[in-house]
Amino acid sequence: MEMEKASVICKLFGDKTRLTIMKILDSQDCCVCELVEIFQVSQPSISQHLRKLRDIGLVKEERRGQWIFYAMNKQHEAYAFVQTILVNLPDQDDKLKELEEKGIRITCC
Amino acid sequence: MEMEKASVICKLFGDKTRLTIMKILDSQDCCVCELVEIFQVSQPSISQHLRKLRDIGLVKEERRGQWIFYAMNKQHEAYAFVQTILVNLPDQDDKLKELEEKGIRITCC
DNA sequence: TAATCATATAAGCATATGCTTATATTTTCA
DNA sequence: TGAAAATATAAGCATATGCTTATATGATTA
């Protein structure tokens, strides 16, 4: 892991929303509307965060019908580095579980 | 490691100069003038980076005569987290070795 | 095929960041 | 004690960042 690349990744992880998105995607794929619901922030804001993560290839997108799902890119050269960071972070599964309970997960995706 | 705290640390590590400073301090204490020499940047710039790292307690300072040495704060609650990041980074010992060879390390500290 | 839904992009704005120069503070030493 | 060295702080500036609203695009469905 080069200094330059490591600092770029850390900078991306320096935003709490993005860091949390990464932790969520680490355990399961997720579509944009779910993230919007979770973070209670505008849809463009989430799209912009995802774009930054995608621009350096940390996540990949995949259209599934009407929705676009984002997923961790396990082929990324820095994937191992990313993991060493993410494993230290608290599980975020409750966030998606909440959506399910509210029925939003079903409706939306 | 809480999300909030992790993202604060990542943000600090998101600057290449600061990340490198941390990696250097991880292997040995260092005074400000050495870092100025290494990074070829103004002295206030280095001081400001160090201040940010010190403000959240990641590093500590200690006056030794005319100089102020900075060192890793191993007592920091996030020290383990910091280590998981730093161990992935390339050794920066050559930077200080260069200073020694140029005789700057001696002169200054 | 037109309306709707999900997402992306553009534009604008307030705040944050990192650097520089200028200056203050503290210590050392002739 | 006064000059010099090491460091910190202040101020100013250009650029980056993250958010919002408005709008464009692409897929679905009535």
Side-chain angles (χ1 to χ4, degrees):
Chain A
M1 182 80 306
E2 291 162 41
M3 269 322 188
E4 180 64 35
K5 290 176 180 173
S7 69
V8 167
I9 289 173
C10 285
K11 182 175 233 168
L12 283 174
F13 286 16
D15 178 274
K16 193 181 168 189
T17 300
R18 274 196 302 266
L19 186 61
T20 309
I21 287 175
M22 286 298 285
K23 182 67 185 182
I24 290 173
L25 294 184
D26 198 32
S27 75
Q28 54 193 304
D29 299 358
C30 203
C31 75
V32 181
C33 56
E34 289 175 310
L35 296 171
V36 170
E37 188 65 31
I38 288 170
F39 293 101
Q40 292 292 307
V41 79
S42 73
Q43 173 266 315
S45 180
I46 294 296
S47 273
Q48 286 156 12
H49 283 307
L50 289 170
R51 189 179 212 300
K52 289 184 183 186
L53 294 171
R54 203 190 50 197
D55 277 352
I56 67 161
L58 285 186
V59 303
K60 51 188 180 178
E61 63 165 27
E62 176 194 307
R63 181 173 281 276
R64 294 188 202 162
Q66 194 167 3
W67 300 281
I68 292 179
F69 274 74
Y70 279 82
M72 192 65 66
N73 176 14
K74 297 185 179 179
Q75 264 64 56
H76 195 282
E77 61 164 340
Y79 179 67
F81 178 65
V82 166
Q83 284 304 309
T84 64
I85 294 178
L86 295 183
V87 291
N88 291 284
L89 305 180
D91 208 273
Q92 300 296 311
D93 288 351
D94 54 324
K95 299 246 183 348
L96 283 169
K97 204 158 288 175
E98 256 182 61
L99 289 193
E100 262 171 57
E101 280 159 16
K102 284 199 280 180
I104 297 172
R105 193 123 211 242
I106 320 295
T107 307
C108 159
C109 313
Chain B
M1 183 79 308
E2 291 162 41
M3 270 319 187
E4 179 64 37
K5 289 177 181 173
S7 69
V8 167
I9 288 172
C10 285
K11 182 175 233 168
L12 283 174
F13 286 15
D15 178 274
K16 194 180 167 188
T17 300
R18 273 195 303 265
L19 185 61
T20 309
I21 287 175
M22 286 299 284
K23 182 67 184 182
I24 290 173
L25 294 184
D26 198 32
S27 74
Q28 55 194 304
D29 299 358
C30 203
C31 75
V32 180
C33 56
E34 288 176 310
L35 296 171
V36 170
E37 188 65 30
I38 288 170
F39 292 101
Q40 293 292 306
V41 79
S42 73
Q43 173 265 316
S45 180
I46 295 295
S47 272
Q48 286 156 12
H49 282 308
L50 289 169
R51 190 179 212 299
K52 289 185 183 185
L53 294 172
R54 202 190 51 199
D55 277 352
I56 67 161
L58 285 187
V59 304
K60 52 189 180 178
E61 63 165 29
E62 176 194 307
R63 182 174 280 278
R64 293 188 202 163
Q66 194 167 3
W67 300 282
I68 293 180
F69 274 74
Y70 279 83
M72 191 66 64
N73 176 14
K74 298 185 178 178
Q75 263 64 57
H76 195 283
E77 62 164 340
Y79 179 67
F81 178 65
V82 166
Q83 283 306 309
T84 64
I85 294 178
L86 295 183
V87 292
N88 291 284
L89 306 180
D91 208 273
Q92 299 297 311
D93 289 351
D94 55 323
K95 298 243 182 349
L96 283 168
K97 205 159 287 174
E98 256 181 61
L99 289 192
E100 262 171 55
E101 280 158 16
K102 286 199 279 180
I104 297 172
R105 190 123 211 242
I106 320 294
T107 307
C108 159
C109 312

